[in-house]
Amino acid sequence: MSQAHEEPRELNLVYLSVLALLVGIGTGYGAVAFRALIGAVHNLFFLGRFAFHYNANEFTAPSPWGILIILVPVIGAVIVTWLVKNFAPEARGHGVPEVMDAVYYRAGAIRPIVVIIKSLASGLSIGTGGSVGREGPIVQIGSALASTIGGWLRLPPWQRITLVAAGAGGGIAATFNTPLGAVLFAIELMMPEVSVRTFMPVALATGTATFIGRQYFGFQPAFALPASLPGYGAVALGPLLAYALLGLVVGLAATLYIRTVYWSEDLFEQRIKNPYVRHMSGMLIVGIMLYILLRYFGHYFVEGVGYATIEAILDGQMTAVWLLGLLFVLKLAATSLTLGSGGSGGIFSPALFLGATLGGAIGGLVHYLFPAIPGIAIPGFAMVGMAAMVGSATGAAMTATIMIFEMTRDYDIVMPMIVAVAISLGIRRVLSPDNIYTTKLTRRGRYIPQTLHAHMFIVRTAENVMDREILVLPASMSFDEFALKYGLDRGRHIVVTDGERIAGIVSVDAAIRMHTVEVGTVYTLGQLAQRDYILARPSDVMFDVIKRMSRRGANAVLVVRADRRVPRADSPLGIITKELIADSVAESLTFRSEPGRPPGQLQPKGQAAPQPK
């Protein structure tokens, strides 16, 4: 038997946690190698020297190529297109949607080749000046590594998906030095289930990846703030209203960001059919932008992850409102051109850049118009803008707030961030129901839930769910006799007994179909009885009941009295069918309640089951 057809092997939590540690180690070193690859490509193509060290928080020195720097992104585009087109089409774009698609639609399966191709393609895109981030690639790389391990070990889907989420969180943790934000990233975007059995492996992987990342990148936060920043007036009404205004503006900008990226993608695909010409055209425009920025403003600004610009804003070196506004527009254009034409890289870092420039510009404008309001500073507004842009664009509000706090280690800004993120996310949801990740999948017809539901149904007991309207009848009774005496109400269920023994279950719907197959044939209830059911006690939790149904391939559950060790003819209390389970799940999602019972609790159907005569 081939491996593809072998039964999955479920590991206990200890072994799964050990695997998560290995995923964290692999993802941590993967992040180190990926950043080294970006450094090597960047130094070679921009500076003409071979070296792995590259500090993205410092501006790149002017290239010795002069005006020929325009061609550097074009050369990168040729190689990226060749890699993606020939080896892994899913490596194109920002990566996270592909992982979400694998989680929700492919049982966590990601092709191993993605690890290599995504690394190379994204390293080339970022290193040659593409306006994309490194977090999307490392998420896809870590997830692909975890998925490959899960596939080799033939893990069941939920354990493979858990490892995929662990790989994604580990990648974020290692590359940004944000372990808390990484765990929240996995929870908000990658995990269909949040429980001890899923949270523990993810937390272990992110912690391990963070430890490895810190050994190579240091313990310092992603962005260093000056020691003398003014207070942010977190408890004063004036500053909070200003931050609320920022949240509103960023919500509009996040909607623009989402629509511009996908509008650019559609435009390139419709106008330019050849993938090489398409990507080269987009990156030629980006190259021209880089040269003009260097020539007239002294730096490339929008190339790569853009952290040097963010660092300069947070450090108070860039305060001109017009320049910040201009960089916002140019970064939006550069990111849309890079991704829309076929580049490979993340959208998280560009969102940080857009939030910092827009936030800084709004902060400078508010300070100019209302100088009397305390706590208004460009660095503070830039940090809040970063969180608001990331939270509203990606839909991961908690992730954005915690990650920006971890990146800056400035607790005073948390309250304004919460206000701005909440408002910006609300505005974006009204204008664009899908976030920048789910939009890509929705356009393919793939729906991804954007809220974490507590599945209230699965914590109910069998007694709360079962259908009590059952009949307990002897096996010797003919179906015609039953029909004459009780009628043929569809959906009715019969528990068939043979003396004191339970012989099976008859669904009236199925019995009618069988009874009419051969006209004139007389069937007894014993002949029609089905035995593809399991037994449950009234206090059994539906989560466990459904697991047993799936394991046994059962179509129904017979709920019997708990005081009988061996179920007898007088034991049946009710029946749970797959149809009833589906209806109960649907009702639990409406959050409606009836008078006299708690919200979400189903009203048991029917009365006590009649006993056999």
Side-chain angles (χ1 to χ4, degrees):
M1 182 181 295
S2 64
Q3 177 173 316
H5 293 87
E6 291 184 25
E7 288 294 321
R9 300 185 302 183
E10 183 167 319
L11 302 178
N12 63 38
L13 186 57
V14 174
Y15 288 118
L16 185 63
S17 299
V18 171
L19 276 184
L21 283 172
L22 296 177
V23 167
I25 293 172
T27 304
Y29 281 109
V32 172
F34 181 60
R35 287 178 61 166
L37 173 64
I38 294 173
V41 173
H42 179 271
N43 289 326
L44 182 63
F45 280 85
F46 268 81
L47 304 176
R49 57 186 176 84
F50 183 78
F52 290 106
H53 177 72
Y54 167 49
N55 187 353
N57 288 49
E58 296 178 358
F59 285 112
T60 300
S63 172
W65 316 133
I67 195 172
L68 293 179
I69 195 65
I70 293 173
L71 298 179
V72 168
V74 179
I75 295 171
V78 174
I79 307 173
V80 168
T81 304
W82 179 79
L83 287 169
V84 171
K85 183 176 183 294
N86 290 286
F87 298 101
E90 61 267 48
R92 176 186 172 184
H94 39 104
V96 174
E98 306 302 333
V99 179
M100 296 171 74
D101 183 67
V103 166
Y104 284 94
Y105 286 93
R106 300 200 302 272
I110 303 174
R111 295 196 301 154
I113 190 67
V114 172
V115 177
I116 300 173
I117 302 305
K118 188 67 178 181
S119 301
L120 295 174
S122 297
L124 283 161
S125 281
I126 299 169
T128 57
S131 179
V132 284
R134 61 193 180 203
E135 78 297 325
I138 194 57
V139 164
Q140 199 167 7
I141 292 165
S143 298
L145 174 64
S147 177
T148 302
I149 295 173
W152 285 342
L153 297 176
R154 303 190 307 280
L155 298 182
W158 79 265
Q159 291 194 327
R160 192 173 186 179
I161 288 171
T162 300
L163 286 183
V164 166
I172 291 289
T175 197
F176 284 122
N177 189 17
T178 56
L180 293 177
V183 171
L184 286 174
F185 177 87
I187 290 174
E188 287 193 281
L189 295 176
M190 298 293 166
M191 295 170 63
E193 173 196 330
V194 182
S195 62
V196 173
R197 69 176 189 170
T198 60
F199 179 81
M200 182 180 292
V202 171
L204 288 172
T206 53
T208 304
T210 303
F211 175 80
I212 292 172
R214 287 177 174 177
Q215 304 310 304
Y216 289 86
F217 310 135
F219 285 74
Q220 71 278 0
F223 301 108
L225 299 179
S228 57
L229 271 178
Y232 300 111
V235 295
L237 180 60
L240 282 181
L241 289 176
Y243 286 115
L245 173 64
L246 173 61
L248 189 152
V249 175
V250 171
L252 299 173
T255 305
L256 177 65
Y257 181 31
I258 295 170
R259 293 182 177 176
T260 303
V261 166
Y262 290 104
W263 173 83
S264 176
E265 183 177 302
D266 291 340
L267 182 66
F268 274 103
E269 290 184 352
Q270 292 169 6
R271 298 293 179 87
I272 307 175
K273 300 302 181 183
N274 186 292
Y276 289 96
V277 177
R278 181 192 308 149
H279 196 22
M280 290 169 64
S281 300
M283 298 315 295
L284 177 62
I285 301 174
V286 173
I288 294 172
M289 291 171 58
L290 296 182
Y291 177 73
I292 292 175
L293 284 170
L294 178 68
R295 177 76 181 272
Y296 294 99
F297 297 95
H299 297 293
Y300 297 113
F301 284 115
V302 300
E303 59 94 10
V305 295
Y307 290 167
T309 304
I310 298 174
E311 186 73 68
I313 296 171
L314 297 182
D315 198 36
Q317 300 175 26
M318 295 178 61
T319 57
V321 172
W322 68 269
L323 178 59
L324 295 174
L326 175 64
L327 291 179
F328 171 85
V329 174
L330 294 179
K331 186 67 173 180
L332 179 63
T335 303
S336 300
L337 288 166
T338 302
L339 290 173
S341 64
S344 177
I347 56 85
F348 197 100
S349 294
L352 291 175
F353 187 109
L354 294 173
T357 51
L358 183 59
I362 298 294
L365 189 62
V366 170
H367 180 68
Y368 176 76
L369 295 176
F370 306 99
I373 297 180
I376 302 298
I378 286 179
F381 269 71
M383 282 187 283
V384 173
M386 289 160 64
M389 180 62 75
V390 171
S392 54
T394 66
M398 294 185 292
T399 299
T401 303
I402 296 301
M403 283 190 69
I404 302 306
F405 164 64
E406 288 186 290
M407 286 180 176
T408 59
R409 309 280 173 86
D410 191 338
Y411 186 76
D412 291 336
I413 206 67
V414 170
M415 174 62 78
M417 276 198 295
I418 292 173
V419 172
V421 169
I423 293 174
S424 63
L425 179 57
I427 296 294
R428 195 275 297 163
R429 285 293 298 270
V430 170
L431 299 176
S432 175
D434 282 301
N435 61 51
I436 200 165
Y437 295 139
T438 58
T439 296
K440 186 170 187 177
L441 297 174
T442 301
R443 285 154 59 97
R444 300 180 192 165
R446 304 282 212 183
Y447 172 75
I448 302 293
Q450 298 191 54
T451 54
L452 295 176
H453 289 288
H455 297 294
M456 297 180 292
F457 164 73
I458 63 176
V459 299
R460 297 183 181 128
T461 61
E463 185 177 26
N464 295 133
V465 177
M466 67 183 184
D467 183 354
R468 299 171 184 264
E469 295 179 357
I470 62 173
L471 293 170
V472 182
L473 300 173
S476 59
M477 177 181 284
S478 71
F479 186 73
D480 289 338
E481 182 183 354
F482 159 79
L484 184 63
K485 186 173 183 178
Y486 296 100
L488 294 175
D489 296 338
R490 291 180 177 272
R492 173 170 284 184
H493 298 280
I494 308 164
V495 178
V496 181
T497 61
D498 183 6
E500 289 299 310
R501 186 177 64 86
I502 297 175
I505 296 174
V506 173
S507 168
V508 173
D509 291 347
I512 291 174
R513 290 194 296 270
M514 180 177 291
H515 187 64
T516 56
V517 169
E518 187 176 335
V519 178
T521 302
V522 178
Y523 290 97
T524 65
L525 295 181
Q527 291 173 310
L528 296 175
Q530 303 294 314
R531 293 166 179 79
D532 54 345
Y533 65 91
I534 63 171
L535 298 176
R537 307 295 179 180
S539 60
D540 288 352
V541 177
M542 285 305 301
F543 179 82
D544 298 319
V545 171
I546 294 173
K547 281 176 61 177
R548 288 197 288 123
M549 284 183 71
S550 176
R551 193 179 303 122
R552 297 278 298 275
N555 288 315
V557 180
L558 179 59
V559 183
V560 296
R561 292 168 54 176
D563 58 350
R564 296 291 179 85
R565 188 168 185 180
V566 178
R568 313 296 284 175
D570 62 346
S571 298
L573 299 175
I575 286 179
I576 301 172
T577 62
K578 288 185 175 180
E579 292 79 7
L580 183 58
I581 291 174
D583 291 342
S584 302
V585 171
E587 183 176 337
S588 74
L589 295 177
T590 64
F591 298 98
R592 292 181 301 186
S593 62
E594 296 178 7
R597 63 188 175 103
Q601 180 176 333
L602 286 173
Q603 180 67 36
K605 297 177 64 177
Q607 304 300 320
Q611 299 304 312
K613 298 181 180 179

